[in-house]
C-alpha cells in the first residue's frame, strides 16, 4: 500500500468508528422519536460503509465484488445526501434572508459539493487526485 492510500484508508476506518459511536449515542440517548431513529440509522449506514472501506480491500454483495473505493463512495454519498437534507431542514428555523439563514444555506451547499466531489473521486478511482491513492490490490 502506498503512503497516501494508507492514510486515506485509516481515515475512513477511524471516521467509520467515530460515526458508529455517534449513531450509538443517538440510538441509546435519543429515545424512540422517529427523527432520532432515522438520524441514528443514517449515521450507522455511513459509519459501517466507511469502516468497511477502511478495513476491507474488497466487499462482496449479492455475488458482486466491489473494491474499497466504491464502498467509500457509497458511504460518502449517503453522508452528503443526509447532511444536506439535515442542513436544508434547519433553514425553516431562521427568517428568510437573515444572516443565519444565508450562512446555513451556504455551508450546506459547500458541504454537499465537497462530499459529492470526493465521492466521485472515490467512485472513479482518482480523477483529479492521484490514482495510486485509490488502487485496489
Amino acid at each position: 500500500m502506498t503512503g497516501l492510500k494508507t492514510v486515506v484508508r485509516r481515515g475512513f476506518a477511524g471516521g467509520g468508528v467515530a460515526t458508529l459511536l455517534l449513531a450509538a449515542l443517538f440510538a441509546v440517548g435519543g429515545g424512540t422519536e422517529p427523527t432520532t431513529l432515522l438520524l441514528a440509522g443514517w449515521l450507522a449506514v455511513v459509519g459501517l460503509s466507511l469502516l468497511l472501506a477502511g478495513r476491507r480491500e474488497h466487499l462482496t454483495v449479492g455475488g458482486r465484488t466491489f473494491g474499497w473505493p466504491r464502498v467509500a463512495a457509497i458511504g460518502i454519498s449517503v453522508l452528503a445526501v443526509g447532511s444536506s437534507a439535515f442542513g436544508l431542514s434547519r433553514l425553516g428555523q431562521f427568517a428568510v434572508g437573515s444572516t443565519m439563514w444565508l450562512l446555513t444555506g451556504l455551508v450546506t451547499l459547500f458541504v454537499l459539493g465537497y462530499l459529492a466531489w470526493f465521492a466521485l473521486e472515490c467512485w472513479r478511482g482518482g480523477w483529479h487526485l492521484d490514482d495510486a491513492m485509490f488502487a485496489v490490490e
Side-chain angles (χ1 to χ4, degrees), residues 63-127:
R64 187 162 180 196
T65 302
F66 296 96
W68 70 268
R70 296 271 169 115
V71 176
I74 291 168
I76 294 168
S77 298
V78 171
L79 179 63
V81 169
S83 62
S84 298
F86 181 76
L88 293 175
S89 72
R90 300 293 110 195
L91 286 178
Q93 294 178 346
F94 308 115
V96 175
S98 69
T99 304
M100 286 304 294
W101 186 86
L102 290 172
L103 184 61
T104 302
L106 288 174
V107 168
T108 299
L109 290 176
F110 173 77
V111 168
L112 173 63
Y114 177 75
L115 290 174
W117 170 79
F118 193 59
L120 281 173
E121 283 292 319
C122 289
W123 189 264
R124 292 179 177 174
W127 189 29

Side-chain angles (χ1 to χ4, degrees), residues 45-72:
V45 168
V46 171
L48 184 62
S49 62
L50 292 180
L51 179 63
L52 288 173
R55 301 298 298 163
R56 301 261 188 205
E57 191 73 25
H58 299 280
L59 183 68
T60 303
V61 178
R64 187 162 180 196
T65 302
F66 296 96
W68 70 268
R70 296 271 169 115
V71 176

